[in-house]
Amino acid sequence: DAKTTQPTSMDCAEGRAANLPCNHSTISGNEYVYWYRQIHSQGPQYIIHGLKNNETNEMASLIITEDRKSSTLILPHATLRDTAVYYCIAVKTSYDKVIFGPGTSLSVIP
Amino acid sequence: EAQVTQNPRYLITVTGKKLTVTCSQNMNHEYMSWYRQDPGLGLRQIYYSMNVEVTDKGDVPEGYKVSRKEKRNFPLILESPSPNQTSLYFCASSSGQGYNQPQHFGDGTRLSIL
């Protein structure tokens, strides 16, 4: 599986968009980019995933560059409840184990 | 509500006393997996199951057992727990339908082995 790198931490003002970057320069053609988050020590929560095209759901948007070497998770209107560690991973199939790196610790500030 | 349920959520026990952490999902998922999460080590896979009666080792299976007799349940068994198994444990499940489906995680079980 491709290795991903993310900034260690980020701050975002409440109500503003939070843009979380992820680099995955060694991603292969059949690997999906997934985003999960973990609030405190709760179970990781799935956010969104994509292969090539940009994706949007009720939680977030995922922008994947044309060369697929990086992506950005966008939380359009961050709230205090979005404070969490966000993980970007690359997986091939539904059965791949989830390997989280350190992730990005997002702090949403009032 | 679609969910993965783990029990107990917290447990403090002593070395050598057998324990079982249960995991149940109500989404008819084929794939289930156990992870442990430790500070600085991230999430590590213990065992996984592709379907009923099919299980395989993950990265850190030593000291653990699993079984998958029913599709919805995937218990994690510690036959003789030791202090190095003190950790935060997560169960996850995923559907095999479609090429790629996300994993759904339980709320975690915090085990302390004294």
Side-chain angles (χ1 to χ4, degrees):
Chain A
D1 292 340
K3 179 177 168 57
T4 62
T5 56
Q6 301 175 250
T8 303
S9 63
M10 293 181 64
D11 291 338
C12 177
E14 189 178 17
R16 304 298 292 270
N19 297 284
L20 292 88
C22 178
N23 284 317
H24 31 80
S25 58
T26 61
I27 197 168
S28 62
N30 59 354
E31 284 183 305
Y32 285 73
V33 178
Y34 270 77
W35 285 82
Y36 289 83
R37 74 180 182 184
Q38 190 171 24
I39 297 173
H40 208 248
S41 292
Q42 295 177 19
Q45 178 188 23
Y46 163 76
I47 302 173
I48 198 167
H49 74 285
L51 184 63
K52 297 179 185 176
N53 301 322
N54 298 338
E55 302 288 345
T56 295
N57 63 20
E58 64 278 3
M59 287 183 68
S61 295
L62 174 61
I63 309 296
I64 303 174
T65 58
E66 195 168 337
D67 62 8
R68 301 214 325 124
K69 292 186 176 182
S70 66
S71 61
T72 300
L73 177 75
I74 302 172
L75 308 177
H77 305 287
T79 72
L80 298 179
R81 289 181 296 179
D82 291 322
T83 292
V85 179
Y86 287 77
Y87 301 99
C88 166
I89 61 172
V91 296
K92 290 178 186 169
T93 74
S94 305
Y95 303 131
D96 281 355
K97 61 188 172 187
V98 172
I99 302 174
F100 289 163
T104 296
S105 178
L106 175 69
S107 296
V108 180
I109 302 167
Chain B
E1 180 189 352
Q3 58 186 0
V4 177
T5 303
Q6 297 179 225
N7 280 297
R9 294 290 315 281
Y10 304 91
L11 179 63
I12 301 173
T13 188
V14 296
T15 299
K17 186 177 180 181
K18 181 179 178 180
L19 68 91
T20 299
V21 184
T22 63
C23 175
S24 180
Q25 50 91 7
N26 62 359
M27 295 168 279
N28 201 36
H29 284 170
E30 291 83 7
Y31 177 87
M32 297 185 75
S33 180
W34 276 103
Y35 297 88
R36 60 179 288 176
Q37 187 174 33
D38 301 289
L41 296 177
L43 209 64
R44 293 180 292 170
Q45 190 181 53
I46 304 170
Y47 269 95
Y48 64 95
S49 170
M50 303 284 272
N51 215 321
V52 175
E53 302 292 1
V54 180
T55 64
D56 209 345
K57 296 177 181 179
D59 296 320
V60 288
E62 295 76 22
Y64 304 94
K65 285 176 57 177
V66 293
S67 69
R68 187 93 181 271
K69 294 184 172 60
E70 303 167 282
K71 197 172 188 179
R72 63 183 290 126
N73 296 322
F74 190 44
L76 179 70
I77 303 158
L78 285 72
E79 294 269 4
S80 183
S82 62
N84 65 10
Q85 293 177 299
T86 292
S87 187
L88 180 58
Y89 291 84
F90 292 105
C91 180
S93 72
S94 178
S95 169
Q97 300 300 320
Y99 184 69
N100 213 286
Q101 298 293 329
Q103 292 197 18
H104 299 262
F105 287 81
D107 288 333
T109 295
R110 190 170 289 280
L111 285 184
S112 293
I113 316 294
L114 305 178

